[in-house]
């Protein structure tokens, strides 16, 4: 999951497609708005299975980003499958939320959003 996040930060479409399972992989991926998004961090919230002996795994993560001067949080529960020693992203259940004024700031400062990046 961390390598795929890094690929999104860098705009590395080739890596993202290579690590996407063939049964759900799109024919092409367009990160056209890559420069319009500033990724601020990734937190792994939970994992299920995913050890070297497992054939499947689940990663629940939260990624913080800024787009068009607005802070946002992407929360996803991602399904992975291991084939021939390589992990592939299958799909995920995503919930995207914008940050409320009184919510903790996604930048990690510990302040409320309205007192930090929301000013």
């Amino acid at each position: 999951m961390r390598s795929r996040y890094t690929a999104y930060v860098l705009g590395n479409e080739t890596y993202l497609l290579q690590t996407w399972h063939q049964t759900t992989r799109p024919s092409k991926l367009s990160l056209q708005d890559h420069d319009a998004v500033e990724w601020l961090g990734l937190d792994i919230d939970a994992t299920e299975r995913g050890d070297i002996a497992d054939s499947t795994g689940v990663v629940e993560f939260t990624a913080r980003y800024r787009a068009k001067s607005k802070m946002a949080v992407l929360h996803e529960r991602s399904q992975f499958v291991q084939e021939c020693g390589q992990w592939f992203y299958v799909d995920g259940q995503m919930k995207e939320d914008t940050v409320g004024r009184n919510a903790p700031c996604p930048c990690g400062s510990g302040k409320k959003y309205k007192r930090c990046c929301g000013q």
Side-chain angles (χ1 to χ4, degrees):
M1 185 65 240
R2 292 185 193 282
S3 68
R4 287 182 55 83
Y5 170 79
T6 300
Y8 273 103
V9 171
L10 298 174
N12 189 341
E13 294 177 19
T14 302
Y15 182 81
L16 291 167
L17 291 170
Q18 288 173 344
T19 57
W20 207 312
H21 195 264
Q22 63 185 358
T23 60
T24 58
R25 178 177 44 226
S27 59
K28 68 179 192 170
L29 186 62
S30 180
L31 299 179
Q32 295 173 15
D33 295 332
H34 170 260
D35 293 334
V37 176
E38 178 187 2
W39 293 97
L40 302 171
L42 172 72
D43 294 316
I44 303 298
D45 301 323
T47 60
E48 295 174 17
R49 299 175 309 282
D51 290 327
I52 196 160
D54 294 324
S55 60
T56 62
V58 176
V59 177
E60 187 168 341
F61 71 90
T62 303
R64 298 174 312 281
Y65 66 97
R66 180 178 298 139
K68 299 178 183 173
S69 300
K70 293 189 180 190
M71 300 290 289
V73 176
L74 179 114
H75 181 253
E76 181 174 308
R77 186 173 169 82
S78 302
Q79 308 289 324
F80 290 85
V81 63
Q82 183 179 197
E83 295 178 353
C84 300
Q86 165 110 21
W87 285 99
F88 295 95
Y89 171 79
V90 177
D91 61 16
Q93 297 172 346
M94 187 169 40
K95 180 181 178 188
E96 189 174 346
D97 295 321
T98 56
V99 179
R101 288 178 37 80
N102 289 316
C105 191
C107 76
S109 68
K111 298 178 183 177
K112 289 184 179 184
Y113 176 67
K114 68 182 178 184
R115 301 263 186 236
C116 191
C117 294
Q119 290 186 344

